[in-house]
Amino acid sequence: MTALGKQLFFDASLSGSGKLACASCHSPDHAFSPANALPVQLGGSDMHRTGMRAAPTLKYLQSVPAFAEHYHESDDEGDESVDAGPTGGLTWDGRVDRGADQARIPLLSSFEMGSTPARVTAAVKAAPYADAFRAAFGARIFDSDEATFKAVLQALETFEQAPGIFYPYTSKYDAFLAGKAQLTQAELHGLQLFNDETKGNCASCHISQRTRDGAPPQFSDFGLIAIGVPRNRALPVNRDPHFYDLGACGPERTDLKGRAEFCGLFRTPTLRNVALKKRFFHNGIYDSLELVLRFYAERDTHPEKFYPVVNGRVRKFDDLPRRYWDNLNTEPPFDRKPGDKPALDEAEIKDVVAFLNTLTDGYEAGGKVVAEKTKAVAAN
């Protein structure tokens, strides 16, 4: 099943255009996120259509819980009485819980792979691995397009759970936690700032400590949160001034439509391998970690750096209607006012970036980060 999933993941013939594979937007060499710096990826039948969201990493999703409006920690992880709020789900808006359901979305999306169950079935029947597919799912699996499509989703889900590929825990920080590597002075200072509740406070959502049972940190609490990311006017969908991507309350997710308390909320991604990414946030607004950290540090002290200024006034939170502003996070570093000292200065931002670079998988003793051998996945 895993071997079939690998082949399906790299097979562009599954798409409507015949040119787009899962791996096209989820490159193994970039922690299964895009290899290019486009804010959103191109797809559709002509490979020129765009969506509204950046393609997220597919790594380290094995611990994401099923979506819950009110998530309570388990017995071995903390106090069950603590309500962590909306948490979980595998997409930016948390609308699906299973890897198979997640894989279904891009395969059928008109602006992504733009395929159909019938086309997927035809592609698999004509593929070199067709006999292996029959062996895994039965000699008559191709009798039904829906059964074939379901089997494809199952194989993709199985592949994306392969621990050595999708959650290897081979970063320098993992080696540091195991006592097998030392962080530099800059990396240690960056970690301190990352954890400091009065400075970066990053660890409040991107947990950096081992769990109580000793499991490696996931660098996400998988919660859904609103932080008021600026509108990305480079996205064609945003040419419509009345359009807003409101995350958990729509438009892609529909079951929470009309629930104002969920508008503007997006799931907190893992920061593992974040240094390999070329675009950040759900709308791909920024193209460097430095810009991301400056936004966190100065969103409220110098909003004019991030939001439009019209007639001398800053249009803050320009991608979220005012009626939803009560949902915005105001915990540190978002607890400051214009004119206050930013949570992080440029030197501190540099050190936090140095620390974030220690979260890249493929670290080897001697201080090197080597490319993961995921290219072999395609050959296998």
Side-chain angles (χ1 to χ4, degrees):
M1 191 79 71
T2 300
L4 279 174
K6 290 178 182 180
Q7 291 172 296
L8 290 161
F9 192 86
F10 288 89
D11 191 348
S13 72
L14 303 181
S15 67
S17 66
K19 299 178 180 179
L20 195 69
C22 301
S24 301
C25 298
H26 299 284
S27 166
D29 293 330
H30 295 82
F32 290 92
S33 61
N36 60 51
L38 295 174
V40 297
Q41 299 301 296
L42 299 175
S45 59
D46 59 1
M47 290 297 293
H48 291 293
R49 295 200 62 187
T50 59
M52 67 184 77
R53 295 177 185 165
T57 179
L58 295 181
K59 295 191 76 169
Y60 294 101
L61 298 181
Q62 81 286 351
S63 297
V64 181
F67 176 79
E69 294 186 22
H70 300 280
Y71 182 74
H72 295 268
E73 298 285 357
S74 60
D75 287 332
D76 61 340
E77 290 297 323
D79 186 349
E80 278 196 337
S81 68
V82 175
D83 183 355
T87 300
L90 293 177
T91 56
W92 278 112
D93 53 27
R95 69 187 184 274
V96 297
D97 298 324
R98 292 281 308 274
D101 295 324
Q102 182 277 323
R104 179 187 298 271
I105 295 171
L107 274 166
L108 300 183
S109 169
S110 62
F111 51 79
E112 294 183 75
M113 296 179 78
S115 196
T116 64
R119 180 175 180 96
V120 168
T121 299
V124 176
K125 285 176 69 175
Y129 51 84
D131 288 342
F133 201 87
R134 289 188 185 92
F137 293 104
R140 302 192 63 180
I141 185 63
F142 294 129
D143 290 356
S144 164
D145 292 344
E146 287 299 328
T148 303
F149 189 60
K150 184 178 179 180
V152 165
L153 299 180
Q154 182 182 350
L156 286 169
E157 178 181 60
T158 303
F159 167 57
E160 291 171 14
Q161 293 173 345
I165 298 170
F166 287 93
Y167 45 106
Y169 298 107
T170 56
S171 72
K172 182 178 182 180
Y173 187 66
D174 291 305
F176 167 74
L177 290 179
K180 298 178 180 179
Q182 294 295 319
L183 300 186
T184 67
Q185 184 176 351
E187 292 164 352
L188 282 169
H189 188 222
L191 172 59
Q192 177 189 352
L193 296 165
F194 187 94
N195 290 333
D196 191 332
E197 295 179 0
T198 65
K199 298 292 288 183
N201 197 31
C202 314
S204 63
C205 293
H206 299 282
I207 300 168
S208 60
Q209 302 297 318
R210 288 184 180 274
T211 63
R212 292 194 177 192
D213 61 2
Q218 301 303 309
F219 281 89
S220 176
D221 62 1
F222 307 118
L224 276 72
I225 189 173
I227 61 173
V229 174
R231 190 174 182 87
N232 188 350
R233 286 172 169 75
L235 303 186
V237 70
N238 283 336
R239 293 170 187 164
D240 178 358
H242 302 293
F243 174 83
Y244 293 96
D245 183 358
L246 297 177
C249 81
E252 292 289 289
R253 182 168 186 165
T254 58
D255 61 316
L256 298 177
K257 184 178 180 180
R259 302 277 300 277
E261 68 270 29
F262 293 101
C263 293
L265 275 62
F266 294 88
R267 185 172 61 77
T268 302
T270 179
L271 293 185
R272 285 182 171 274
N273 296 292
V274 71
L276 297 180
K277 290 176 63 65
K278 296 189 176 184
R279 283 288 172 170
F280 303 90
F281 293 128
H282 70 275
N283 61 3
I285 182 68
Y286 295 129
D287 61 4
S288 75
L289 284 172
E290 288 80 5
L291 288 172
V292 170
L293 288 167
R294 287 186 197 117
F295 170 74
Y296 276 102
E298 301 184 74
R299 184 195 80 173
D300 301 302
T301 62
H302 295 87
E304 71 281 358
K305 292 185 177 182
F306 313 103
Y307 302 103
V309 179
V310 180
N311 297 324
R313 297 187 64 180
V314 181
R315 288 189 175 177
K316 201 173 179 183
F317 309 131
D318 61 327
D319 207 27
L320 185 67
R322 180 176 285 273
R323 62 185 177 275
Y324 304 127
W325 285 12
D326 285 346
N327 296 343
L328 289 162
N329 185 274
T330 56
E331 297 177 358
F334 300 135
D335 61 341
R336 290 160 169 78
K337 302 183 298 296
D340 286 352
K341 183 180 178 181
L344 301 169
D345 61 30
E346 286 297 313
E348 291 172 327
I349 286 174
K350 184 176 180 180
D351 286 350
V352 174
V353 170
F355 166 66
L356 292 174
N357 273 274
T358 71
L359 304 183
T360 302
D361 285 322
Y363 176 78
E364 288 189 346
K368 297 188 297 181
V369 173
V370 297
E372 290 183 87
K373 299 175 182 178
T374 45
K375 283 186 177 179
V377 170
N380 292 336

